[in-house]
Amino acid sequence: MNIAKVIVDVQAKAINQTFDYLIPEKFRDILSEGMRVIVPFGPRKITGFVVGKKEESEFEQLKEIIDVLDINPVLTEELLELGKWVAEDTLTLYITAYQAMLPQVLKAQYKKELIRNTDEELAHELEFLFAGRDVIRYEEFVQSTVPYTTLRNAIQDGAISINYLVKSKVTKKVITFIEPNKEAHLLEEAFMDLSPSAKKQRHVLSFFLEFPEPVEQQKLYNLTNTNRAVIKALVDKGILREYKKEVYRNPYDDTSFEKTLPLPLTKQQEMALHPIIEKIHNHKHDVFLVHGVTGSGKTEIYLQAIQEVIKQGKEAIVLVPEISLTPQMVKRFKGRFGSDVAVMHSALSNGEKYDEWRKIHAKEVKVVVGARSAIFAPFENLGIIIIDEEHETTYKQEDQPRYHARDVAIKRGQYHECPVVLGSATPTLESYARAKKGVYQLATLDKRTNNQALPKVEIVDMRNELHEGNRSMFSIALKREMESGIERGEQIVLLLNRRGYSTFVMCRDCGHVKRCPHCDIALTYHKNSNQLKCHYCGYEERMPHLCPECNSESIRYFGTGTQRVEEALNQLMPHARVIRMDVDTTRKKGAHEKLLKRFANKEADILLGTQMIAKGLDFANVTLVGVLTSDSMLHLPDFRSSEKTFQLLTQVSGRAGRHELSGKVIVQSYTPDHYSIQLASEYDFEKFFLYEMQIRKKFRYPPYVYLALITVSHQNHVKAVQITSRIAQLLLKVVGKDTIVLGPTPSPIARMKDRYRYQCMIKYKNEPELRSTIKKVMDLYADEMRKEDLSITVDMQPYHLM
Ligand SMILES: Nc1ncnc2c1ncn2[C@@H]1O[C@H](COP(=O)(O)OP(=O)(O)OP(=O)(O)O)[C@@H](O)[C@H]1O
Ligand SMILES: [Zn+2]
Ligand SMILES: [Zn+2]
C-alpha cells in the first residue's frame, strides 16, 4: 500500500480531515499507522500523524511524504481510535486530540541521535555507518543508503535506540560517580599512610573501606559531610577514581523507597477487592465504585489489585489528582512495585516527562501513576485502570480537548476488557447515582483500618464569636484545642479555604473595590511586591495609598490570605512552629515534598495551607484539624458548590486521627446550619446525596440532565450578545421539547482581557444529534472566527461554570 492518510497539524476547522500522501519507496516497508511524518502542505512543511494506509486515492498528483519522524509508532491502533473518539466527543480537532495524548517533546521536531546498545555485531550496513562510534547523528543515517527496515529491525531487537535531543541538551542526564581506585587491602594501606591531620580524607576513605561500591558524587558529599576539594585530593593521589555515567533523569530515587509487602486485608477490603480480582481473572470489563471513608484502606485495595494484574503480565494505570501534591502516594506505589512504576505529573520537566513516557512506550514499566493525561499511557495490554479521588475536578481538562479522564478510562477499559476502579470517600453525585442504579458496582467501606472512629467534628458559629467580641480569625475553641494539642506534642492541620475568597482591596469609607480594567473581576493583593494583580490577564499596578474614588486613606486589603493567617498565628501563639503551604511556598520544584517532610519529622506543630493539604496526607501525629473558613466556597455561582464544600470538609477531616491517636476537627463557619456543613460534620454521605439530588432534580442540574456550555467572546459588547442570542435561537429550533436552552447570559466573569463573554447553556436528557447540531452552528461562524477575532468555545461537560 503506497498511500498514507495523514492528519496534519493545522489548527483549523476546515482542515479537520485526513489528507492523502504518496509514500516514497524508501519508507514503504516501515511506514505504519501511528507514526509522525513531515509532509508538504501548501508552501509549508508540517508534521502529521499517519492514521491509515490505502492503495488508491480519488485525488490525482499526490504529494510525497518528506520524512518519517518515528521508527516505532508513537500512537497504537487503540490510541488512534481513542483520539478520534475524544475529538468527536468533545468537538475538537483530531490533531488536538492526538497531540494531547503525547508528551510535549513529541509535539515538536527535535533532533535525534542513534545510540548503539550492544557490543554484538550489527547488520553489516549499520556497522559501516557507526564506524566504531557508539552514538551517531540521525541525519547521518538519513543521508546514508542504509534501508529504514534495517534500522527498524535493529531498534526492535534493542541493539540500537533513538534518543531525542530536547532543548539542545541530551535528554539523558550525566552524573559523576566516585569509587575506590584500589583493591581493598591497598585501600587500607593508603588509609594508614594518610597523615592523621587529614581528618576529612581519612573519613572519606573509611567510608569506602566499609562500602567499596561506586557512589554518586553529590551523595558522597552528603554521606561523608565533605566537599569537592577533599575528593579531588584523593583522586589526585590515585586512591579514588571518578567517572561520568548517563542515567535516566529519574525524579524519584527508586532505592530510597522502603519495600512494602501486601497487608492482610480487613473484611471490608476483602469484600471490595474480591469482585475486582474476579474481573481481572475473567478478562471482563466493569466499573467499580469504591466508596470508602478516609483511612479505610482504599490504596491497599488498589495495590493488591495491581499486583494481580502484574502477575498476569499486564499493565496498570493509576490516576491521582495532581501527583506532585501527594508525594506520599508515589512512595506507596514505588514502595510496592519499585522500578516497575513510572510517574507522570505536571511538575516534571519536559525531558523528565518524556523519559517516563518512553519507559512506558518501551514496556520497561508495568504501572504508571500520574495526573489526568496519564490516562493516555501507551500500554497495549492494560489489566486495570484506577482513578483515585474520583470526585476531583482536575480530571476534567479545561482546554481543548475538554475531555474527562473518567470517560476515557471507561472507553479504554472496554477496549482492553479490564476493570476500571473509581475510589473516593466522597464520590461525585454522578458516579454514586450510577452505582445505586447498578451501572457501576458499588463497594462500601465504612470503617477505618485502625477501627478508630472518624474524628469528631465541632462546628463553631463565627457570628457568635463576633458578638462575644472575638474579632480574630481563630475561635476560642480552636485556640484552646491548638494549645492543648501542642502541649501534648501532637500536630495540627489548619485549612484555609481560599477558593472564592481572595485578598481584594476595598475602601472602608466609600466601599470602592479595585477591579481589573480589562476583566470583570477584583484585583488580588500581593503582599511581597505590594502590588495588585489580575489573576486572569496578568495586569498589575501598585497598591494605592489613597482611594481613587474618594481620596480616603482607609483603603486596604480584605480577605484572608495564608500569609495573614500565619502572621496572626504567630501573634496568637508565638511558641508554635508553623509551616505554611500554598502556591507561593511550593512554587519551587521539590518544595512541596520538603515542607511535608519537615512536618513529618515534627519540625513544626502546625501545617497551615490551602486546598492542597486537604487530601492524601497521612501523618500519624496529627490529632487536630481546623477549618478556618468553611463556607467561602458556598456562594460561588456554581451548582456544585455545596457538593464541593461537603467533599472538602470530609477530606480534610480525614487527616486527623489516622493511626493510634484519635482525632478532632473544628469547623468555623458563618453559615453553620447549611446542610453541606452539617452533614459533612456527621460524615453522612448518604443523606447528603439524597438531599442534594433533590435539589439537582428541582433545578434541573446533573446528574438529572446533561449540560453543554457555549461561550462566545468578542471585543464588541453588542456583537457578543447578538451572536450568542443567534446561536441560542438556532439551537432552540432543533432541540427536543424537554431540552432547555438558556441564554444569552453574561458569563460569571463577564469581561476578560477586554473581551465580553456571553454564554448559552443547554440542559438536556436525550439529544443524540446535539453534537452534530452544535458543530453545524459553529461552522456557520468559522469564517468570522478566523477573520474577526470572534471566539466560540464549546464544553460538552462543563465543570468550571466561570
Ligand atoms: N489491611 C490493613 N491492615 C492494616 N493497616 C492497613 C490496612 N490497609 C491499609 N492500612 C493502613 O491504613 C492507613 C489508611 O489507609 P489508606 O491511606 O489506604 O486509606 P484510604 O482509604 O486510601 O484513605 P484516604 O482516602 O484518606 O486517602 C494507611 O496507613 C495504611 O497503611
Ligand atoms: Zn473610597
Ligand atoms: Zn485582568
Side-chain angles (χ1 to χ4, degrees):
M1 284 193 279
N2 52 11
I3 293 169
K5 296 201 281 180
V6 177
I7 296 276
V8 293
D9 185 2
V10 177
Q11 308 279 342
K13 285 241 147 29
I15 307 299
N16 196 26
Q17 58 174 58
T18 60
F19 288 86
D20 291 352
Y21 286 92
L22 212 55
I23 309 173
E25 184 68 44
K26 61 180 174 182
F27 298 138
R28 242 166 239 178
D29 288 336
I30 61 135
L31 190 80
S32 57
E33 289 157 23
M35 287 182 180
R36 294 168 308 142
V37 288
I38 304 231
V39 291
F41 194 81
R44 295 187 291 151
K45 285 187 200 173
I46 58 176
T47 52
F49 289 88
V50 177
V51 298
K53 293 206 287 184
K54 55 184 182 180
E55 289 290 2
E56 276 168 32
S57 172
E58 66 232 62
F59 301 99
E60 282 168 26
Q61 296 208 319
L62 295 181
K63 291 186 186 158
E64 279 197 347
I65 288 177
I66 297 170
D67 199 2
V68 174
L69 291 176
D70 305 303
I71 300 294
N72 274 328
V74 288
L75 291 176
T76 60
E77 211 182 306
E78 182 219 351
L79 292 180
L80 282 173
E81 265 307 303
L82 188 71
K84 193 161 169 270
W85 174 79
V86 167
E88 284 162 7
D89 196 60
T90 61
L91 295 174
T92 345
L93 305 178
Y94 296 119
I95 189 73
T96 311
Y98 288 143
Q99 287 177 337
M101 301 168 101
L102 294 173
Q104 194 72 33
V105 170
L106 295 181
K107 284 174 207 163
Q109 291 175 36
Y110 286 97
K111 286 217 177 305
K112 289 177 286 212
E113 59 186 14
L114 296 176
I115 300 172
R116 178 185 190 136
N117 295 329
T118 173
D119 290 334
E120 277 168 37
E121 189 91 0
L122 299 172
H124 182 66
E125 305 105 308
L126 285 173
E127 279 296 350
F128 192 73
L129 183 67
F130 273 83
R133 294 168 298 172
D134 284 337
V135 182
I136 63 167
R137 288 179 306 120
Y138 188 75
E139 289 88 65
E140 282 189 53
F141 160 75
V142 173
Q143 284 150 14
S144 75
T145 54
V146 183
Y148 276 83
T149 38
T150 310
L151 177 61
R152 184 197 55 197
N153 293 344
I155 288 172
Q156 279 171 355
D157 294 346
I160 289 178
S161 58
I162 293 193
N163 187 28
Y164 290 84
L165 300 168
V166 181
K167 276 200 206 134
S168 79
K169 266 190 297 183
V170 239
T171 50
K172 287 178 180 168
K173 186 173 161 190
V174 179
I175 288 184
T176 306
F177 284 83
I178 311 288
E179 67 175 3
N181 197 23
K182 296 177 183 297
E183 285 168 49
H185 66 281
L186 293 175
L187 204 61
E188 257 185 80
E189 267 176 33
F191 179 75
M192 301 301 200
D193 290 346
L194 279 177
S195 126
S197 64
K199 279 206 185 93
K200 289 216 150 168
Q201 293 187 25
R202 291 174 68 95
H203 184 58
V204 171
L205 272 203
S206 66
F207 170 83
F208 276 113
L209 282 171
E210 202 174 335
F211 308 102
E213 285 93 37
V215 54
E216 275 179 38
Q217 181 168 278
Q218 272 306 330
K219 264 197 196 149
L220 183 64
Y221 292 169
N222 295 339
L223 288 169
T224 59
N225 192 18
T226 182
N227 56 35
R228 175 80 197 132
V230 177
I231 305 296
K232 185 155 184 306
L234 288 165
V235 170
D236 288 347
K237 287 183 188 148
I239 301 171
L240 296 181
R241 186 176 90 86
E242 65 176 21
Y243 64 96
K244 295 185 188 307
K245 199 175 144 193
E246 279 188 348
V247 293
Y248 268 130
R249 279 159 309 202
N250 189 345
Y252 301 97
D253 175 6
D254 289 341
T255 54
S256 71
F257 294 102
E258 229 168 277
K259 191 100 192 104
T260 67
L261 293 171
L263 299 168
L265 296 181
T266 65
K267 188 121 205 151
Q268 290 194 327
Q269 284 175 319
E270 191 69 65
M271 296 217 333
L273 179 64
H274 183 73
I276 299 172
I277 299 268
E278 213 159 63
K279 297 287 169 185
I280 294 171
H281 286 165
N282 302 335
H283 310 284
K284 284 271 171 359
H285 167 70
D286 213 335
V287 183
F288 294 88
L289 178 62
V290 178
H291 175 212
V293 297
T294 54
S296 59
K298 295 184 286 293
T299 313
E300 185 64 30
I301 300 175
Y302 309 152
L303 290 168
Q304 298 202 12
I306 293 170
Q307 189 170 9
E308 203 59 34
V309 163
I310 293 179
K311 224 192 267 168
Q312 292 204 342
K314 294 190 175 185
E315 298 130 0
I317 295 177
V318 184
L319 297 190
V320 297
E322 175 52 72
I323 192 147
S324 56
L325 300 185
T326 56
Q328 285 193 333
M329 200 69 176
V330 175
K331 192 169 136 196
R332 294 177 76 176
F333 283 86
K334 289 259 186 188
R336 194 66 57 89
F337 304 115
S339 54
D340 270 342
V341 181
V343 178
M344 291 234 219
H345 62 85
S346 58
L348 299 182
S349 70
N350 277 345
E352 286 169 340
K353 277 184 203 155
Y354 170 60
D355 282 347
E356 297 298 295
W357 181 88
R358 190 168 45 172
K359 283 189 218 160
I360 301 166
H361 193 232
K363 313 278 180 307
E364 286 168 21
V365 292
K366 291 279 177 197
V367 182
V368 56
V369 180
R372 181 180 58 232
S373 65
I375 195 59
F376 296 118
F379 283 132
E380 291 182 85
N381 207 0
L382 270 176
I384 196 165
I385 301 174
I386 292 162
I387 304 188
D388 189 35
E389 313 284 5
E390 72 95 24
H391 60 278
E392 282 292 327
T393 47
T394 53
Y395 290 129
K396 166 72 193 311
Q397 169 141 318
E398 289 302 329
D399 287 329
Q400 282 177 343
R402 297 187 164 84
Y403 67 91
H404 199 299
R406 194 198 300 131
D407 302 336
V408 179
I410 292 174
K411 200 80 186 165
R412 293 198 79 178
Q414 286 164 348
Y415 178 93
H416 289 278
E417 299 180 315
C418 74
V420 172
V421 178
L422 313 175
S424 177
T426 51
T428 54
L429 263 64
E430 282 90 336
S431 295
Y432 198 69
R434 273 183 206 146
K436 285 198 119 185
K437 270 207 238 157
V439 183
Y440 298 165
Q441 310 308 313
L442 181 64
T444 307
L445 294 87
D446 57 11
K447 288 194 186 64
R448 287 189 150 183
T449 54
N450 60 3
N451 267 319
Q452 286 263 21
L454 287 159
K456 207 166 157 31
V457 182
E458 180 184 333
I459 303 175
V460 177
D461 187 339
M462 290 305 276
R463 295 168 306 185
N464 289 347
E465 296 283 320
L466 213 58
H467 289 156
E468 279 158 28
N470 176 14
R471 302 191 143 267
S472 98
M473 48 184 107
F474 306 97
S475 59
I476 313 267
L478 181 57
K479 179 169 183 252
R480 187 186 60 226
E481 291 293 336
M482 287 199 292
E483 267 168 353
S484 64
I486 293 176
E487 222 154 79
R488 291 193 302 270
E490 296 165 4
Q491 287 171 297
I492 299 155
V493 167
L494 273 190
L495 173 79
L496 177 70
N497 184 3
R498 275 198 68 172
R499 288 267 315 272
Y501 204 81
S502 57
T503 48
F504 60 98
V505 166
M506 189 172 86
C507 170
R508 287 198 173 194
D509 281 334
C510 75
H512 175 71
V513 172
K514 270 300 237 174
R515 304 182 85 84
C516 173
H518 309 286
C519 311
D520 194 8
I521 190 125
L523 292 170
T524 302
Y525 179 63
H526 284 245
K527 189 164 188 232
N528 284 339
S529 54
N530 194 35
Q531 273 182 322
L532 296 172
K533 289 186 185 169
C534 170
H535 281 190
Y536 288 95
C537 74
Y539 168 85
E540 50 186 56
E541 63 177 52
R542 287 199 76 73
M543 167 80 184
H545 297 295
L546 301 176
C547 170
E549 284 294 308
C550 73
N551 270 329
S552 154
E553 283 180 8
S554 315
I555 183 156
R556 52 194 61 148
Y557 66 96
F558 276 74
T560 319
T562 32
Q563 273 186 2
R564 263 194 68 194
V565 179
E566 191 183 16
E567 285 165 19
L569 208 50
N570 287 339
Q571 269 175 10
L572 188 73
M573 300 165 56
H575 52 284
R577 299 163 303 163
V578 182
I579 291 180
R580 171 162 68 92
M581 211 155 110
D582 56 22
V583 254
D584 287 330
T585 62
T586 54
R587 198 163 288 135
K588 267 219 209 99
K589 205 170 146 190
H592 200 107
E593 249 160 311
K594 258 189 217 139
L595 292 178
L596 290 180
K597 214 178 222 160
R598 280 181 45 211
F599 191 63
N601 290 339
K602 304 192 187 163
E603 289 170 36
D605 307 301
I606 301 175
L607 179 66
L608 162 69
T610 50
Q611 265 75 345
M612 66 174 76
I613 61 167
K615 24 189 156 169
L617 304 183
D618 188 8
F619 295 112
N621 198 37
V622 171
T623 53
L624 176 66
V625 167
V627 182
L628 294 173
T629 46
S630 61
D631 27 27
S632 61
M633 215 155 53
L634 280 175
H635 313 297
L636 290 178
D638 176 354
F639 70 89
R640 287 191 178 88
S641 61
S642 299
E643 187 182 4
K644 284 179 185 160
T645 300
F646 182 88
Q647 287 164 351
L648 183 66
L649 291 181
T650 311
Q651 294 292 342
V652 73
S653 302
R655 300 309 119 212
R658 290 171 72 87
H659 296 258
E660 272 84 54
L661 302 167
S662 63
K664 170 152 196 176
V665 183
I666 293 190
V667 173
Q668 306 190 155
S669 174
Y670 289 95
T671 46
D673 301 325
H674 192 282
Y675 63 94
S676 62
I677 293 176
Q678 283 291 334
L679 294 174
S681 77
E682 290 157 23
Y683 299 100
D684 200 339
F685 177 81
E686 190 72 27
K687 207 163 171 186
F688 173 79
F689 171 78
L690 294 173
Y691 192 96
E692 182 71 13
M693 283 295 270
Q694 279 178 3
I695 292 177
R696 302 282 176 93
K697 188 173 184 181
K698 190 165 154 207
F699 294 101
R700 297 245 224 160
Y701 274 118
Y704 283 100
V705 296
Y706 296 102
L707 294 182
L709 185 70
I710 302 179
T711 305
V712 176
S713 84
H714 197 276
Q715 296 201 339
N716 181 320
H717 194 163
V718 176
K719 185 144 191 170
V721 182
Q722 274 173 351
I723 291 176
T724 318
S725 152
R726 179 98 186 98
I727 290 176
Q729 281 163 15
L730 287 170
L731 289 173
L732 260 178
K733 265 189 220 149
V734 287
V735 294
K737 64 175 183 351
D738 288 341
T739 299
I740 300 172
V741 178
L742 295 170
T745 43
S747 300
I749 297 165
R751 191 166 58 113
M752 198 189 283
K753 300 182 193 174
D754 285 324
R755 300 170 67 90
Y756 292 88
R757 303 166 80 239
Y758 276 78
Q759 64 184 35
C760 164
M761 188 183 292
I762 305 143
K763 296 178 166 184
Y764 64 100
K765 273 200 136 117
N766 186 16
E767 284 291 346
E769 298 301 319
L770 186 63
R771 281 182 172 75
S772 65
T773 308
I774 294 180
K775 225 173 158 173
K776 274 184 213 144
V777 172
M778 301 269 289
D779 285 345
L780 290 180
Y781 290 98
D783 254 6
E784 256 176 284
M785 284 168 70
R786 222 179 30 247
K787 291 185 203 137
E788 300 208 4
D789 203 24
L790 166 72
S791 141
I792 305 179
T793 58
V794 183
D795 195 335
M796 295 305 291
Q797 215 180 131
Y799 273 76
H800 272 288
L801 296 180
M802 315 285 262

